[in-house]
Amino acid sequence: SRIEEKLYRNRYLVDSGRPHIKVRRHQKPSANLLALTRVCPAQCYELTDEGQVEITADGCMECGTCRILCEASGEIEWNYPRGGFGVLFKFG
Ligand code: SF4
């Protein structure tokens, strides 16, 4: 909903130009990579018309799901955001 989106923005600080998660370019996404477009709770991953899975890391909740599925295989690069950026769990 709109309200949820607003709350989201309020507690998320974007580190512009320094995404903390990157997807390696690929010919065809693996099953795990493709799964991220469905399982990421923040809906950060999407499949482009060119068949690439891409990430917009803004709004990432650092749940670690994508890290578990795709980091070891090298399909994504995963780091915590720099201090002060990313999701702010204490708010209000
Ligand atoms: Fe989505 Fe969780 Fe990965 Fe962040 S850590 S991009 S919320 S699956």
Side-chain angles (χ1 to χ4, degrees):
S1 74
R2 262 222 169 79
I3 291 169
E4 278 168 349
E5 273 172 24
K6 205 165 175 190
L7 284 172
Y8 222 141
R9 270 202 296 277
N10 284 347
R11 61 191 165 95
Y12 193 88
L13 198 57
V14 175
D15 196 356
S16 297
R18 296 186 60 156
H20 64 286
I21 305 172
K22 292 175 190 162
V23 177
R24 179 174 291 171
R25 289 191 61 80
H26 44 274
Q27 294 291 335
K28 191 170 171 280
S30 69
N32 276 4
L33 199 53
L34 205 52
L36 298 183
T37 64
R38 298 187 303 271
V39 302
C40 169
Q43 298 177 331
C44 290
Y45 289 89
E46 63 179 5
L47 183 64
T48 67
D49 293 342
E50 292 77 40
Q52 288 275 309
V53 171
E54 288 185 352
I55 183 169
T56 306
D58 306 354
C60 165
M61 295 184 264
E62 297 164 31
C63 73
T65 301
C66 61
R67 183 176 203 180
I68 290 166
L69 286 173
C70 293
E71 190 188 40
S73 60
E75 292 169 292
I76 68 168
E77 229 179 82
W78 202 102
N79 294 288
Y80 281 103
R82 287 193 294 160
F85 292 96
V87 69
L88 310 171
F89 287 108
K90 287 180 190 163
F91 62 98

